Amino acid sequence: MGESTTFVGLDAHKKTIEVAMFLPGRNDPVEWQVVHEGASVRRMAKKIQKEAGGHVRVCYEAGPCGYALQRTLQDLGLECVVVAPSLIPVKPGDRIKTDKRDARKLAEMDRAGLMTEVHPPTAGEESVRDLCRCREDAKADQLRARHRILKLLLRRGITWEGGKSSWTKAHRAWLRSLSFDHPADRIVFNDYLLALEHLDERVRGLDAAIQAVAQQEPYKEPVAALRCFQGIDTTTAMTIVAELHDFRRFQSPRELMAYLGLVPSEHSSSERRRLGSITKAGNSHVRRLLIESAWHYRHPPRLGPKLILRRQGQSTAVIAIADKAAQRLYRRFTRLQARGKPLPKVAVAIARELVGFVWSVVYPASSKLA
């Protein structure tokens, strides 16, 4: 970047932004605070450009404020990067933390080249990602609503004996046929049931919206390829593509495995090498979905009617990779289970290998996700 670059660190919050600017050849920063709103941000950008006079590089931590600030500064002509907060170096003996010190630290670390940039999505990619996350939130609310109903019935000594599975058509008809002696119980139960029906409708609407987006470019090709795998249908495939949004930044499957936090942690020194649990770094949404999909590989590979339908019109190369994954991951799951490994650990190991197969089918098509 050269010695003529001005480095600016921003500690951005909902209401304020703390600014620390290091001009070329100076070790003492220019510091001030602005209100976090459009007009103040534009004035801040003009002041930075006026005082710097040359190339400017601005950075701030990824957080709840999202990427709107970065897009605004880039539109105003400033280079702005968002850095990963979990990878910012920390001094073990530093016990003082203020907004001013944080902004100054960001600028100093960026000037030293010690920052790790994140890859921000575009506004369109972020909107699709939030659609998938909205569906995930609705499913969590739906699960809580179901639990409230079942726990209420359990406290009243009422249990479903019409089959092993709950929430089938027969189970729902049984719920609607229940009656209670006390008026308060009827009010509570009907309210819980109404809330569940509302959430069911929300989930159906979001599923339909995700299905519609999956048929559009640039998502159509990678989603269709991922649906050739066991345990991956439209919603899971769309979430994977939307969350990662640019597979070109992962030059190998190992990079993607590390990004998803599916590789073992390590603490080695001298001749001792100690591996621990997975790092759980990176995107937790994709990691959870891949682990859920990995459980499907405990069954022998077979082509069910739904999987055959999903594979229609797909290239033989993608189908061959999906078949290879089914056979390899099933053998791997069986071997690890036979060695007495806990099943949750087995599922994580299978998910890590599944990442490699996912990368191999999506990476060639990632040029359309630019």
Side-chain angles (χ1 to χ4, degrees), residues 89-108:
V90 178
K91 296 179 181 179
D94 192 353
R95 296 291 186 270
I96 301 176
K97 183 183 184 304
T98 64
D99 292 347
K100 280 189 176 182
R101 289 169 68 95
D102 287 345
R104 192 182 313 143
K105 178 181 178 181
L106 287 171
E108 290 175 334

Side-chain angles (χ1 to χ4, degrees), residues 105-124:
K105 178 181 178 181
L106 287 171
E108 290 175 334
M109 293 291 184
D110 195 32
R111 183 171 61 175
L114 300 177
M115 289 300 193
T116 302
E117 298 180 28
V118 301
H119 189 87
T122 64

Side-chain angles (χ1 to χ4, degrees), residues 141-159:
D141 294 339
Q142 183 189 55
L143 181 62
R144 281 192 287 268
R146 289 179 174 183
H147 284 173
R148 291 190 187 104
I149 292 174
L150 295 181
K151 297 321 181 233
L152 172 66
L153 297 180
L154 183 62
R155 291 194 300 271
R156 299 299 182 266
I158 304 172
T159 56

Side-chain angles (χ1 to χ4, degrees), residues 19-315:
V19 186
M21 179 171 64
F22 283 88
L23 297 169
R26 293 181 56 179
N27 291 324
D28 53 321
V30 179
E31 298 174 314
W32 72 97
Q33 187 184 84
V34 300
V35 178
H36 195 165
E37 53 90 16
S40 296
V41 171
R42 288 190 290 272
R43 288 194 296 269
M44 176 191 73
K46 289 181 180 179
K47 180 177 180 180
I48 292 173
Q49 291 170 325
K50 181 180 179 180
E51 297 197 15
H55 180 253
V56 179
R57 179 179 165 93
V58 183
C59 73
Y60 69 94
E61 297 181 44
C65 293
Y67 305 106
L69 178 59
Q70 184 215 29
R71 296 181 187 124
T72 300
L73 292 177
Q74 287 184 336
D75 291 341
L76 294 171
L78 294 176
E79 178 190 357
C80 181
V81 298
V82 183
V83 299
S86 61
L87 298 178
I88 297 176
V90 178
K91 296 179 181 179
D94 192 353
R95 296 291 186 270
I96 301 176
K97 183 183 184 304
T98 64
D99 292 347
K100 280 189 176 182
R101 289 169 68 95
D102 287 345
R104 192 182 313 143
K105 178 181 178 181
L106 287 171
E108 290 175 334
M109 293 291 184
D110 195 32
R111 183 171 61 175
L114 300 177
M115 289 300 193
T116 302
E117 298 180 28
V118 301
H119 189 87
T122 64
E125 291 169 344
E126 189 174 19
S127 66
V128 174
R129 185 197 68 180
D130 288 343
L131 173 63
C132 296
R133 291 187 179 182
C134 180
R135 194 262 182 189
E136 185 177 321
D137 294 338
K139 287 293 290 184
D141 294 339
Q142 183 189 55
L143 181 62
R144 281 192 287 268
R146 289 179 174 183
H147 284 173
R148 291 190 187 104
I149 292 174
L150 295 181
K151 297 321 181 233
L152 172 66
L153 297 180
L154 183 62
R155 291 194 300 271
R156 299 299 182 266
I158 304 172
T159 56
W160 162 247
E161 297 179 355
K164 294 182 178 179
S165 301
S166 300
W167 308 112
T168 60
K169 290 183 179 179
H171 181 253
R172 288 177 179 270
W174 172 77
L175 287 174
R176 286 189 287 269
S177 68
L178 293 176
S179 61
F180 297 86
D181 296 332
H182 299 285
D185 282 343
R186 289 196 295 270
I187 293 172
V188 172
F189 180 76
N190 290 333
D191 185 75
Y192 281 169
L193 199 57
L194 180 63
L196 177 61
E197 291 172 353
H198 172 65
L199 288 166
D200 290 341
E201 189 61 33
R202 277 184 58 196
V203 172
R204 283 191 291 268
L206 291 169
D207 283 338
I210 292 173
Q211 289 275 357
V213 175
Q215 299 300 318
Q216 303 171 8
E217 296 294 346
Y219 301 100
K220 185 176 180 179
E221 183 178 345
V223 168
L226 288 176
R227 293 176 75 236
C228 294
F229 288 87
Q230 288 182 203
I232 299 180
D233 208 340
T234 304
T235 302
T236 300
M238 267 299 301
T239 304
I240 292 173
V241 176
E243 290 286 347
L244 300 179
H245 64 79
D246 188 0
F247 276 74
R248 295 177 303 166
R249 55 195 168 123
F250 307 109
Q251 297 300 313
S252 69
R254 290 184 180 274
E255 289 186 13
L256 182 54
M257 294 174 193
Y259 174 77
L260 296 176
L262 286 169
V263 297
S265 57
E266 182 174 355
H267 185 79
S268 300
S269 180
S270 185
E271 298 178 355
R272 186 190 66 180
R273 184 168 184 259
R274 180 178 296 175
L275 299 178
S277 58
I278 60 172
T279 61
K280 295 185 179 179
N283 195 295
S284 60
H285 301 274
V286 178
R287 181 171 63 249
R288 178 186 60 81
L289 287 175
L290 288 171
I291 293 174
E292 288 181 0
S293 299
W295 284 98
H296 288 79
Y297 294 95
R298 69 188 186 275
H299 303 298
R302 69 180 187 89
L303 289 176
K306 292 184 179 180
L307 185 57
I308 293 175
L309 187 63
R310 297 204 303 262
R311 290 185 173 188
Q312 288 182 358
Q314 295 305 304
S315 68

